C-alpha cells in the first residue's frame, strides 16, 4: 500500500508567454506540480517529472500512466479527492479515494409533499 499526493513547488515568475503555463490559478502562484508515492512509513517510493503548475493532479497522474504502473507492480494506493475518477476499473480497484460531500440536504419522502407537524 502506498500513499499518492501532489504538491506544487513554487518558482520565480518568468516574463513572456512561457510564464503563463506555470501559473496555478488555484494556488495563485507560479510553480511546478509533482506527484509523489510514499510507503506507509513516509519513505519516498516514486516521484513524477515536473509538470506545469496549471496542471491538475489527476491530469498529471494520467500523463504518467500511474494506474497502469501500480497494477503491474501489484500495489494499491490511497489518494485524496483530487484523484476521484482516475481508477477506471471498479472490479479491480488500485486507487482508493474518499467521497465528496453532498452539497444539498437530502430529503426522503414517498412521492408526497411532507406536511408540517401540528403541535397541540
Amino acid at each position: 500500500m502506498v500513499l499518492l499526493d501532489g504538491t506544487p513547488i513554487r518558482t520565480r515568475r518568468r516574463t513572456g508567454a512561457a510564464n503563463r503555463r506555470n501559473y496555478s490559478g488555484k494556488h495563485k502562484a507560479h510553480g511546478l506540480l509533482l506527484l509523489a508515492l510514499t510507503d506507509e512509513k513516509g519513505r519516498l517510493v516514486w516521484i513524477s517529472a515536473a509538470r506545469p503548475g496549471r496542471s491538475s493532479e489527476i491530469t498529471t497522474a494520467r500523463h504518467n500512466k500511474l494506474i497502469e504502473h501500480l497494477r503491474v507492480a501489484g500495489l494499491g494506493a490511497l489518494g485524496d479527492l483530487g484523484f476521484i475518477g482516475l481508477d477506471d476499473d471498479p472490479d479491480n480497484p488500485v486507487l482508493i479515494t474518499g467521497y465528496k460531500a453532498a452539497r444539498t440536504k437530502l430529503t426522503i419522502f414517498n412521492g408526497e409533499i411532507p406536511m408540517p407537524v401540528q403541535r397541540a
Side-chain angles (χ1 to χ4, degrees), residues 71-92:
R71 278 205 177 92
V72 169
L75 292 173
L78 292 173
D80 58 13
L81 296 180
F83 296 103
I84 289 180
L86 180 61
D87 196 357
D88 57 355
D89 188 4
D91 297 330
N92 185 18

Side-chain angles (χ1 to χ4, degrees), residues 46-67:
W46 175 83
I47 193 162
S48 71
R51 300 281 296 161
R54 69 178 179 193
S55 301
S56 65
E57 291 178 344
I58 193 168
T59 304
T60 304
R62 285 182 179 141
H63 182 278
N64 289 313
K65 297 180 175 52
L66 190 59
I67 294 298

Side-chain angles (χ1 to χ4, degrees), residues 85-104:
L86 180 61
D87 196 357
D88 57 355
D89 188 4
D91 297 330
N92 185 18
V94 174
L95 179 66
I96 299 171
T97 59
Y99 293 100
K100 289 189 178 180
R103 296 183 134 201
T104 59

Side-chain angles (χ1 to χ4, degrees), residues 31-49:
L32 300 170
L33 180 69
L34 299 172
L35 291 182
L37 285 175
T38 61
D39 64 3
E40 59 274 355
K41 293 185 179 181
R43 294 179 293 216
L44 189 63
V45 175
W46 175 83
I47 193 162
S48 71

